[in-house]
Amino acid sequence: MTQASATQTPSRRRHDREIIALAVPAFGALVAEPLFVMVDSAVVGHIGTAQLAGLGVAAALLTTAVSVFVFLAYATTAAVARRVGAGDLPSAIRQGMDGIWLALLLGAAVVAFTLPSAPWLIEAFGTSDTAAPYAVTYLRISSLGIPAMLVVLAATGVLRGLQDTRTPLYVAIGGFTANGALNVGLVYGAGLGIAGSAWGTVIAQAGMALAYLIVVVRGARRHGASLRPDAAGIRASAQAGVPLLVRTLSLRSVLLIATAVAARLGDTDIAAHQILLSLWSLTAFALDAIAIAGQAIIGRYLGASDVKGAREACRRMVQWGIASGVVLGVLIVLARPLFVPLFTGDPSVHDTLLPALLVVALSQPIAGVVFVLDGVLMGAGDGRYLAWAMLVTLAVFAPVALLIPVLGGGLTALWWAMTLMMAVRLVTLWLRTRSGRWIVTGATR
């Protein structure tokens, strides 16, 4: 072993320990989140088809509304981690409180919009007359939990920035368990129907928000950080979140365009596309866990002005991303005889699905690096570049995807277009990372 490799080994092991300690609990918390909707669907599905259809539309609207504000977690993680690296814990928690106050304000605004506009939103989705009343009921009640959901996002960012991903995992498990029990009790025991399911979700989300607030408030008191809203701090949190909001909306646009194109290809193609999208989202949870670790670790190193540590951590996480992508790609190919029959028994869907599934498997190593570099730049607070990079990606992807039905392409061609989208993201993120312009040290960017 050379002297250089001998010195690199302890460094790699240190980074590996950090990545594993943050990524594994983060993955558990990420997986727990979509289980909320799955539990609601399982409980409501036994009431009736119309109720389940109404839940499906309302849940899609809620998921979209909340996911748009995911920047509350991302921006808060980076800002808090920088201050942790700089050794200023009171300022770190103060920054986190600004993010939580912003979450409450945004949540109140969304509720004020959703309550009166719920019937129009449901109608805009083309919901049937039988399902629409149930969708409106679920949407109106569950929207009351949006402020709590956004607080959960912001508070999760605070704890991630503090290098704590275990507490979010425990809270997510507790929330999932409570949601299941409340749904069964209120829907069947109290006979509230779909309204009971909505109230169960609201109560569970409120309980999760309260648990987070207790943890953050205790930390604030321990370190002498103020809990009062600070207009300048809230405004700074909002400004940091705007570029990430643009990035998220651009990414959501890519997914919506892909679904719209698949729908034009026919019922068989859209059915197969939904299966692929579900699988793609599941693999994204595993890769996103590494990205979350990247946000926290990179932010801390830059806050401590440790440029060498930040570069080494970035390099090691890229290696993790590639390895994870290869493993996921191989698993998709090997496990396809097991999971494909779980989704469909239709031979035509099966035949349409398989070639595109191989494309998804081949794209996983690319996705692994993209997720990691995305997390690295988020941790560095490089949101403005991420916004522009995603807009460029959308500009490349949209015309290519929309031309597929015109040129007679099928689902496999669409997923090659999705792979092109990930490749464009890889190029833009790699160029930025290589340039070193993302490396800005200090407690603030």
Side-chain angles (χ1 to χ4, degrees), residues 234-325:
I234 295 171
R235 186 164 54 251
S237 295
Q239 290 172 347
V242 169
L244 295 180
L245 175 61
V246 172
R247 168 202 167 274
T248 301
L249 289 174
S250 301
L251 182 56
R252 297 293 299 184
S253 297
V254 165
L255 299 178
L256 287 173
I257 290 171
T259 300
V261 170
R264 290 187 187 182
L265 298 175
D267 291 347
T268 299
D269 291 85
I270 186 63
H273 175 73
Q274 286 304 114
I275 295 171
L276 289 170
L277 202 57
S278 299
L279 178 65
W280 193 73
S281 299
L282 180 62
T283 60
F285 284 132
L287 299 175
D288 202 27
I290 304 174
I292 287 170
Q295 293 171 30
I297 293 170
I298 294 298
R300 192 187 77 237
Y301 275 121
L302 293 179
S305 298
D306 186 352
V307 174
K308 180 182 177 183
R311 287 188 180 276
E312 288 178 350
C314 175
R315 191 178 304 113
R316 190 57 178 161
M317 280 183 284
V318 167
Q319 293 170 353
W320 271 77
I322 295 171
S324 300

Side-chain angles (χ1 to χ4, degrees), residues 247 251 279-291 317-329 332 359-375 415 418-427 429:
R247 168 202 167 274
L251 182 56
L279 178 65
W280 193 73
S281 299
L282 180 62
T283 60
F285 284 132
L287 299 175
D288 202 27
I290 304 174
M317 280 183 284
V318 167
Q319 293 170 353
W320 271 77
I322 295 171
S324 300
V326 170
V327 170
L328 288 172
I332 288 172
V359 177
V360 174
L362 288 171
S363 69
Q364 289 305 299
I366 297 174
V369 179
V370 166
F371 273 79
V372 165
L373 295 182
D374 207 38
W415 277 90
M418 290 287 285
T419 303
L420 171 66
M421 178 270 294
M422 294 301 289
V424 173
R425 291 187 70 191
L426 174 62
V427 171
L429 296 175

Side-chain angles (χ1 to χ4, degrees), residues 388-408:
W388 282 111
M390 199 62 225
L391 286 172
V392 169
T393 302
L394 176 60
V396 172
F397 170 79
V400 173
L402 294 173
L403 278 174
I404 288 172
V406 177
L407 299 177

Side-chain angles (χ1 to χ4, degrees), residues 37-55:
V37 176
M38 289 181 64
V39 168
D40 289 9
S41 300
V43 173
V44 172
H46 287 87
I47 304 174
T49 302
Q51 287 91 333
L52 182 58
L55 170 66

